[in-house]
Amino acid sequence: MNFVETKLGDLVATFGGRLASFSGDNSASSDVLLSGIQSLEKAGQNNLGFLANPKFRDQLLTSSAGVVLVRESQFIELQQYLKANRADAGRLLAWLVSDPYLYYAKIQQWWVSRSEFKPEPGVHPSAVVDPTADVAPTASIAANCVIGAHAKVGEGSRIEAGVVLGNHVEIGAFSRIYPNVTVYDESLIGDHCIIHSGVVIGADGFGFANEKGAWVKIPQVGQVIIGDQVEIGANTTIDRGALDDTLIGFGVKLDNQIQIAHNVTVGDHSAMAGCVGVAGSTSIGARCTVGGAAMIFGHLNIADGTHVSGASVVMSSIKEPGAYTGIFPLQQHKDWEKTAVTLKQLVKLRTELRELKKQQS
Amino acid sequence: MNFVETKLGDLVATFGGRLASFSGDNSASSDVLLSGIQSLEKAGQNNLGFLANPKFRDQLLTSSAGVVLVRESQFIELQQYLKANRADAGRLLAWLVSDPYLYYAKIQQWWVSRSEFKPEPGVHPSAVVDPTADVAPTASIAANCVIGAHAKVGEGSRIEAGVVLGNHVEIGAFSRIYPNVTVYDESLIGDHCIIHSGVVIGADGFGFANEKGAWVKIPQVGQVIIGDQVEIGANTTIDRGALDDTLIGFGVKLDNQIQIAHNVTVGDHSAMAGCVGVAGSTSIGARCTVGGAAMIFGHLNIADGTHVSGASVVMSSIKEPGAYTGIFPLQQHKDWEKTAVTLKQLVKLRTELRELKKQQS
Amino acid sequence: MNFVETKLGDLVATFGGRLASFSGDNSASSDVLLSGIQSLEKAGQNNLGFLANPKFRDQLLTSSAGVVLVRESQFIELQQYLKANRADAGRLLAWLVSDPYLYYAKIQQWWVSRSEFKPEPGVHPSAVVDPTADVAPTASIAANCVIGAHAKVGEGSRIEAGVVLGNHVEIGAFSRIYPNVTVYDESLIGDHCIIHSGVVIGADGFGFANEKGAWVKIPQVGQVIIGDQVEIGANTTIDRGALDDTLIGFGVKLDNQIQIAHNVTVGDHSAMAGCVGVAGSTSIGARCTVGGAAMIFGHLNIADGTHVSGASVVMSSIKEPGAYTGIFPLQQHKDWEKTAVTLKQLVKLRTELRELKKQQS
């Protein structure tokens, strides 16, 4: 992406904070022209860098960035460090803010939205839109999309190539649906959502009765309801409920290849990394985080503010917020073989230990 | 979905069982008009509810359902319970059946099939169908599908938007392929199958020879053959065989995001929950269940009637049916850290214990 | 697939090695007509078989194959074995080569490329190709593809139905993109690559700053850059970098449903089996193998030549090449329950053991 050239002073005027010089003089100039954010390592004179974590402050010694976002409360210390260790500290301007990483996120959003390609509103002639669908005039429907009966696409939303929206699907305003997403009938997606390619929303939950060894399908007639400001990563799947609905709360962020089963609830502002699986009817609280490839069993309640480590398995409800982990430690294969064999004998070892203790006492 | 209004008496006439009154009088009326099934919690007077498990019988005390499916053998007990604990027990009708959950499944199927939108048979003008393909006149091919040479689509089957069927693909009768599914050349799918969006059937198995450190592809020329009444969840992948075929048996049910590698066989009526992986050439018996995110290594044989718990790893063949599990228990993170460190010392601990025993004896 | 009939002598002339008779006479004839490779079990008189591993040499006793690839250095021993154990050993010809499995791979490639359907070069009328895109005249763009602005498709490449290539995407020469793949803007794919259906390349990495409990998106403006001769399995996802790029090296082979997070580097000739997850900013060396469903945490360095077993979790960097494993052993469920409970007491058991030792000494 080619970022539009922007004057440093205009950025500071928009986002706040203040400029200062690492060299201690008054040379901080807001006239510098910037053409994008870069890491301190890769940044050039026309880039904005950021120091999110002061433990990487040595990167300031060699960075060619023109300006760097630093935490205001750390500036004096950083300034002393640079003056002591970098001869041309004056080449690097400091932009003092409350939270450099957050400013990076917000400035990057602003810059990308001014720099990226935006499709014209309207429906591409190759798209197949049911005449009963209601597409806002400011929305765009790209090539080869298929939009079902009574579907709605809100103001400013962007439906990219090859997306299929079923009947009665509703997409709110200013949402972006990337190519080749499928949304089943009756699923509802909020405003300002981002749905990445290959996502499937509203497919049938996995529900069967058993009749003499054969599985009898239970039709899944609940909906998927997704709140505002939700982002869903590539190839993630969210199943519709059996009778009730599957609910994804406000501001939830799901990474790629996550599986959310039927009737799950995910609370506001929770986030899950890639490859997580959540089984049916589990309710995950607000502001939880789930690490990559963790697996959460069905019919559980996970308290608000719970953090599950990657690759961990949650088999029962979690009532107390906190950090939870269960991972088999990695070893050299030959050592693991012995550990695994011994682990199977663990109950026996405990018995032996207790007998020893008894004999000794 | 708006369910077509149906007289209770007509449902009973179709599915069997008999009506009874919880209050013990003879007021059970088959004239009640019903407009769908609901959970006991959400059901209203015009809904059918069901009590699948008697441990939730307290839901009968407050449910507003008009009618509830209950197990005939449990009715007397439930009736006494309601008469003792609910003043207006007479408001709730009982429909006595052999298996309420199975009846729920079957009645829901019947009701949905009468209530849902069905596309007209025929090929949408935007679909690209090879002239050598053989599409039954009662089948429907939706917008933007691409159907390859010599492909066959059987009677009453429904191919939804954006599906790509390769050359020589065969879909049986009354199967439903949801949007954006891809079926590679020569794959065969049976009758009454349901394939959800994003599924990929018949992609190359993962096979390579190694030549001085570089991988040399082994072309995968086997097929995928899928029996009748199979359901496959969203974004699941089933690879074609290297030389022989990958086989999915009659009535198999696969949830979302499952990976079935080349030359795997899955026996009739087996079911797997989401995110399971089955590595190459493994043969899974009939009537097995595999919990979510379980992983089964390659070249194994799993006996008929085996049940693998979610998140468990199967590294060797299972000869005896039964329930098998291997999950690292979840702990608070700081406790897990100690457990993990100690686990690496487990072999050493065993040695120490044995030495202690020797000294003591 | 119907393999074109080929004279054995022509194959030997093309690939090298030499023919010999298991019966020891001079009857080895290069005139045999072959119509494909099969396993020794399924092969008929007109098939080429192969013995990759001498421990399966008993399959030579009953195979009906016309010819079998065997390792030259093992031939004398195999010949004696057959002469002693198979009366009609003379019916089976031996083709002596340095590495039968590698020859199988190469011959199969050759044969498939001569036997398979190949589309005509050119753009299908239903495809939507931006006028600024640059498609080589020898490339083929199938039905319902959407090709973005300034995209490039190289010589002889084959873009199959429903593929969406974003703006500025580049596909090298002789690559094959299977149906319904999505490639986001600016992603680069090399020559001779194979990308299977449902793959998503270049979706946003999972990056957010946190502002008072709410997640603020960090736009992902790095690229995905994929080297030559890479194969990527169905429904695998590779995210674009946040600022820097995600890099997939030369000859890398990724199986199905793998998740590669932003800013990951995968070194040349590394291979990963299905369902692996690699978290952000991890660097995997060259010639590594990662077993199915393994999970590698973020910000790690994995040494060249490391082998991670399936279903194992890598939580810290690996500096020494070798084989690493961490899998909870599978047990009958009731035994596992006891093991899991005891495992939570492991730290306490260690303490008790140490106290016992102290008392005893």
Side-chain angles (χ1 to χ4, degrees), chain B residues 297-314:
Chain B
F297 278 37
H299 297 276
L300 306 183
N301 285 292
I302 309 298
D304 291 353
T306 295
H307 305 285
V308 177
S309 297
S312 299
V313 182
V314 182

Side-chain angles (χ1 to χ4, degrees), chain A residues 295, chain B residues 271-276 289-295 307-312:
Chain A
M295 164 69 187
Chain B
M272 302 187 194
C275 307
V276 164
T289 61
V290 183
M295 165 70 187
H307 305 285
V308 177
S309 297
S312 299

Side-chain angles (χ1 to χ4, degrees), chain A residues 286-290 302-309 314 318-325, chain B residues 330-334:
Chain A
R287 296 177 310 282
C288 293
T289 62
V290 183
I302 309 298
D304 291 353
T306 295
H307 304 286
V308 177
S309 297
V314 183
I318 294 179
K319 287 168 190 165
E320 291 298 318
Y324 294 85
T325 306
Chain B
L330 195 77
Q331 296 181 279
Q332 296 237 17
H333 184 79
K334 62 181 192 304

Side-chain angles (χ1 to χ4, degrees), chain A residues 148-164:
Chain A
H150 308 289
K152 289 185 187 173
V153 177
E155 188 190 346
S157 279
R158 184 171 167 179
I159 313 298
E160 304 204 12
V163 168
V164 178

Side-chain angles (χ1 to χ4, degrees), chain C residues 276-296:
Chain C
V276 164
V278 183
S281 300
T282 279
S283 177
I284 294 176
R287 297 175 310 284
C288 294
T289 61
V290 183
M295 165 69 187
I296 303 181

